[in-house]
């Protein structure tokens, strides 16, 4: 049987953690033949550490055959030791009266520390997925704080936006969500993201032609996908956790095991593709193979799309500027 791999998860006692860990341990992320060791990080706070103990008891009680070990940590340098995968879920949420700059600064503090810890102790091939918001900028901060690791190993989660877009298109067209191909979401994981179905197909047929309604695209589809997180908070009284955990599983599984030639959306540092400045962590269409992702290049960007991309890029550059002095 395969040698166990190490999977670090931060914010492990939180909502997303609770929806995520059991699926990683059951083999849904890295395959039903891949044993895993979970290295779980929570803040030192007694309540959080106790909650983490409870989650670990439940993990034990699932008796997952693939779960080769579980560790609880409060220090990132211990949690990230030799880790092959790091899912950075824990982040500082926006508190009452907190300004955007305060939020960025609080998260910059967390993600510089965690980036440095990864730089120091993680596997040199560690695959990092940042889920905690602001996800793209947190990934950017961690990447900048880990100069000895390949920048391309730092990614942010746009997959929930991608999956939300797919579900809206399935509902609109009456087709099966699993048949939608070549969909993507450009930019920031925020309401400015640009979900783009111009290249999407269902059983070889163009989704754009099928829908043929630019007003629906601009006035219904994009706002619905962009504000889906807020709609779920309004309905549930809590933020989306199970769907976020599901997207994290999808992102890591496809990165590790390959997308079989299909497009998926990942937030990844640009190398200048589509005029996005190098280093900015941006949602792009990618294909994945042998543990590597490749940005899909050469797509035509029309005037409407360019405008959308410019807007989400401007927001990301604003965030990068907002943390520059902290890096
Ligand atoms: P939560 O508040 O239930 O859990 C977060 C956990 O992280 C808490 O247990 C907290 O103690 C822990 N934590 C905070 N700072 C930490 C640190 N420095 N090290 C280790 N652990 C730390 O929140 P939830 O619902 O699990 O969401 C987590 C994050 O994911 C939030 O930032 C949320 O905005 C984000 N999110 C991102 C999505 C995306 O698509 N990229 C989608 C949904 C949520």
């Amino acid at each position: 049987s395969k040698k166990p791999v190490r999977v670090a998860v931060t914010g492990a006692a939180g909502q997303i953690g609770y929806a995520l860990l059991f699926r990683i341990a059951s083999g849904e992320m890295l395959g039903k033949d891949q044993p895993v060791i979970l290295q779980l990080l929570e803040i030192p706070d007694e309540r959080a550490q106790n909650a983490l103990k409870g989650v670990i008891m439940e993990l034990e009680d699932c008796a997952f055959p693939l779960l080769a070990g579980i560790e609880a940590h409060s220090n990132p340098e211990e949690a990230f030791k030799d880790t092959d995968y790091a899912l950075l879920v824990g982040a500082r949420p926006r508190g009452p009266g907190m300004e955007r700059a305060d939020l960025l600064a609080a998260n910059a503090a967390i993600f510089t520390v965690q980036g440095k810890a990864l730089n120091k102790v993680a596997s040199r091939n560690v695959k990092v997925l940042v889920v905690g918001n602001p996800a793209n900028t947190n990934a950017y901060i961690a990447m900048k704080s880990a100069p000895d690791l390949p920048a391309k190993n730092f990614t942010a989660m746009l997959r929930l936006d991608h999956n939300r877009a797919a579900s809206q298109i399935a509902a609109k067209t009456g087709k099966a969500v699993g048949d939608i191909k070549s969909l993507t979401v450009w930019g920031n994981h925020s309401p400015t993201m640009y979900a783009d179905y111009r290249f999407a197909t269902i059983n070889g047929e163009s989704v754009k032609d099928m829908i043929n309604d630019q007003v629906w695209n601009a006035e219904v589809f994009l706002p619905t996908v962009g504000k889906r997180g807020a709609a779920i908070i309004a309905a549930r009284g809590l933020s989306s956790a199970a769907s976020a955990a599901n997207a994290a599983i999808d992102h890591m599984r496809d990165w590790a095991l390959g997308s079989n030639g299909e497009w998926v959306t990942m937030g990844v540092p640009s190398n200048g593709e589509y005029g996005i400045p190098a280093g900015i962590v941006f949602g792009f269409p990618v294909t994945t193979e042998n543990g590597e992702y490749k940005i899909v290049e050469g797509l035509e960007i029309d005037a409407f799309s360019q405008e959308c991309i410019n807007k989400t890029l401007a927001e990301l550059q604003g965030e990068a500027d907002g943390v520059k002095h902290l890096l």
Side-chain angles (χ1 to χ4, degrees):
S1 64
K2 285 188 176 174
K3 183 171 167 275
V5 293
R6 296 179 176 276
V7 180
V9 179
T10 75
Q15 279 209 92
I16 293 175
Y18 196 69
L20 177 63
L21 296 173
F22 299 86
R23 296 184 62 186
I24 298 173
S26 77
E28 285 183 67
M29 187 170 89
L30 297 173
K32 297 285 181 185
D33 60 346
Q34 178 59 67
V36 294
I37 298 169
L38 289 174
Q39 307 189 158
L40 307 180
L41 181 69
E42 261 295 342
I43 52 174
D45 169 78
E46 194 184 323
R47 266 207 332 230
Q49 287 295 322
N50 271 333
L52 182 55
K53 282 196 189 106
V55 174
I56 290 176
M57 286 189 255
E58 285 202 75
L59 281 163
E60 291 167 350
D61 293 349
C62 292
F64 289 119
L66 290 172
L67 188 52
I70 317 177
E71 304 168 7
H73 296 286
S74 58
N75 175 350
E77 286 193 13
E78 289 166 13
F80 297 155
K81 182 97 186 78
D82 296 328
T83 199
D84 302 291
Y85 299 88
L87 291 89
L88 309 186
V89 178
R92 179 72 191 277
R94 191 189 287 253
M98 210 170 165
E99 297 293 332
R100 211 175 82 105
D102 304 332
L103 183 77
L104 281 171
N107 280 293
I110 293 172
F111 286 87
T112 47
V113 168
Q114 295 190 355
K116 284 178 185 162
L118 286 163
N119 193 54
K120 194 165 162 191
V121 302
S123 156
R124 299 300 86 183
N125 298 316
V126 64
K127 287 180 162 59
V128 182
L129 167 61
V130 177
V131 174
N133 280 317
N136 298 53
T137 296
N138 289 341
Y140 173 82
I141 294 165
M143 174 186 87
K144 291 286 182 197
S145 307
D148 303 328
L149 294 171
K152 68 176 168 59
N153 292 19
F154 288 81
T155 68
M157 192 165 93
L158 270 290
R159 185 60 175 265
L160 181 53
D161 308 281
H162 176 112
N163 290 349
R164 285 168 172 168
S167 110
Q168 294 302 319
I169 289 168
K172 175 75 175 172
T173 58
K175 306 281 185 185
V177 73
D179 290 336
I180 301 170
K181 303 207 185 311
S182 306
L183 177 66
T184 197
V185 180
W186 304 90
N188 199 4
H189 169 66
S190 92
T192 67
M193 53 95 242
Y194 172 45
D196 183 0
Y197 59 74
R198 291 176 305 135
F199 309 103
T201 60
I202 298 176
N203 301 321
E205 239 189 289
S206 157
V207 166
K208 185 170 180 246
D209 292 349
M210 232 181 262
I211 294 173
N212 191 25
D213 188 347
Q214 176 56 18
V215 174
W216 181 80
N217 181 31
E219 291 176 17
V220 180
F221 174 70
L222 289 173
T224 302
V225 177
K227 296 178 193 155
R228 187 71 162 179
I232 287 166
I233 294 175
R236 208 171 83 90
L238 287 167
S239 61
S240 39
S243 53
N246 180 68
I249 296 273
D250 284 351
H251 177 118
M252 279 303 208
R253 184 200 55 227
D254 288 341
W255 191 2
L257 305 180
S259 68
N260 300 313
E262 304 298 342
W263 295 14
V264 292
T265 301
M266 290 171 67
V268 305
S270 172
N271 310 294
E273 292 87 350
Y274 298 99
I276 307 305
I280 291 283
V281 177
F282 202 81
F284 284 112
V286 305
T287 55
T288 57
E289 201 180 351
N290 300 325
E292 302 283 341
Y293 61 80
K294 219 170 93 200
I295 295 175
V296 178
E297 293 195 68
L299 300 171
E300 189 210 321
I301 305 298
D302 62 18
F304 176 80
S305 302
Q306 191 62 59
E307 201 179 300
C308 293
I309 287 173
N310 290 349
K311 189 168 138 205
T312 194
L313 173 61
E315 183 181 51
L316 274 172
Q317 288 182 300
E319 292 179 12
D321 281 347
V323 298
K324 207 163 55 192
H325 64 290
L326 303 166
L327 298 180

